Amino acid sequence: MSKVTGLARFYYATGYSIKGIKAAFKHEPAFQYEVYGFLVLFPASFWVAQTATQWALLVSSCLLVLILELINSAIEAVVDRSGTEFNELAGRAKDLGSAAVMFGLLIIAAVWGGIIWDNGGLF
């Protein structure tokens, strides 16, 4: 069986991506909170940014957290699928995914704080 290529591949891949985003929103409360945060910060980015580069950094930092949360959720799903008994490596994998999200949130704070500082504050 040959793999789908070209525009058809892009079409199917987009469908799988949308399915993954819907699943994360339905089953992962942390992803929901981060989406709600994005829905607040995205419009705020137009007010805070004074240049296109600043706007791109503000929005990209928020998107990074969503990406990291999707990866963390994927790790957790695979670990949970592999069994319910305690396993040190499984716990470490979950903790590492969580740490990645935490660093992403720190990046948001640094980027937004730095840009707000450089622009002389909010008012």
Side-chain angles (χ1 to χ4, degrees):
M1 183 170 156
S2 65
K3 286 191 162 204
V4 178
T5 60
L7 288 177
R9 174 68 186 133
F10 179 75
Y11 173 79
Y12 287 116
T14 301
Y16 300 141
S17 298
I18 291 169
K19 185 177 175 182
I21 292 167
K22 286 180 179 179
F25 193 81
K26 180 178 179 182
H27 299 288
E28 298 295 334
F31 185 74
Q32 293 173 10
Y33 303 145
E34 290 153 358
V35 168
Y36 297 144
F38 179 80
L39 293 175
V40 170
L41 292 176
F42 181 74
S45 69
F46 292 99
W47 181 58
V48 170
Q50 293 181 359
T51 67
T53 302
Q54 286 183 351
W55 181 82
L57 288 168
L58 293 169
V59 173
S60 295
S61 66
C62 296
L63 291 174
L64 176 64
V65 168
L66 295 176
I67 293 165
L68 291 169
E69 186 62 52
L70 289 170
I71 294 168
N72 182 43
S73 296
I75 291 167
E76 288 182 356
V78 169
V79 167
D80 291 346
R81 169 68 173 93
S82 67
T84 58
E85 71 281 346
F86 175 78
N87 181 290
E88 182 181 343
L89 291 175
R92 188 182 314 159
K94 287 183 161 190
D95 292 344
L96 291 168
S98 179
V101 175
M102 182 191 71
F103 280 116
L105 292 168
L106 292 173
I107 288 170
I108 285 180
V111 169
W112 280 75
I115 289 173
I116 290 168
W117 179 274
D118 281 350
N119 292 348
L122 293 175
F123 305 103

